Amino acid sequence: MRAANGWRYFVCTLLMVIGAVNVIQGLTAFLTPDFFLAPESRLLVLEYEGWGLLFGVWGVLMVVAGAAVLTGRTWARVLGTFLASVNALAQLVFLIAMPLWSAIVIAIDILIVFGLTAGWPSATRESGARAVYRAGYRAAQEKPATTPRPTPSPEQNSPRHRSSG
């Protein structure tokens, strides 16, 4: 396993924060549905209590996925990408109830998806300093195929050196 880089910490933090926000949004929808701007009749499929429960569970899953992203495992990245993508779609339902907040969460979800899919170097490439070190180490350990012949120094080829000798 490679050490976590900046993208992993960034995406982990965003997933955990948005997960916590979803838990708070879910609790708010479940306990005080009067808080939101739109009446329940304008929501898609479920009422506020149903969406509250769904957002609460979804938020806990996002927090767990955020912690799992630090392992660098592919399954954690796939899970985080899936959860953030579905969360962005679920926030579309709340656009009527909390337009600005839902738009901000959707933008952060898109940033999470970007960070999980395009922000990390591939697993086969090594970082610059480490790759240079390993290449130098391999070159030092290899035995030369032939013994190198000494080459004359630049001073030996100069006209001044030839005339004095």
Side-chain angles (χ1 to χ4, degrees):
M1 181 177 81
R2 296 179 325 163
N5 65 12
W7 275 108
R8 282 190 213 171
Y9 287 123
F10 179 69
V11 170
C12 167
T13 303
L14 282 180
L15 268 171
M16 293 177 98
V17 167
I18 290 298
V21 166
N22 276 354
V23 170
I24 293 168
Q25 186 177 7
L27 285 172
T28 304
F30 189 76
L31 299 175
T32 55
D34 298 335
F35 174 78
F36 299 99
L37 300 176
E40 290 184 11
S41 61
R42 295 198 56 201
L43 284 181
L44 187 65
V45 183
L46 300 173
E47 295 181 357
Y48 280 116
E49 290 83 7
W51 281 110
L53 186 61
L54 186 65
F55 273 124
V57 171
W58 202 257
V60 170
L61 286 174
M62 289 183 84
V63 169
V64 170
V69 163
L70 282 180
T71 66
R73 305 278 185 208
T74 303
W75 67 265
R77 290 175 69 182
V78 170
L79 178 64
T81 303
F82 173 76
L83 292 174
S85 300
V86 173
N87 190 55
L89 294 174
Q91 289 294 333
L92 288 174
V93 173
F94 264 66
L95 261 168
I96 294 172
M98 295 182 71
L100 181 61
W101 182 249
S102 292
I104 290 170
V105 172
I106 290 169
I108 293 172
D109 284 332
I110 291 169
L111 189 59
I112 291 170
V113 171
F114 172 78
L116 288 170
T117 57
W120 288 341
S122 74
T124 57
R125 281 188 276 155
E126 293 179 311
S127 66
R130 188 177 191 114
V132 169
Y133 171 79
R134 288 186 185 262
Y137 181 80
R138 281 192 300 269
Q141 299 303 316
E142 293 176 359
K143 292 185 180 179
T146 62
T147 306
R149 295 184 176 210
T151 57
S153 68
E155 292 86 25
Q156 291 175 334
N157 289 335
S158 70
R160 195 177 88 180
H161 186 272
R162 279 190 234 149
S163 64
S164 60

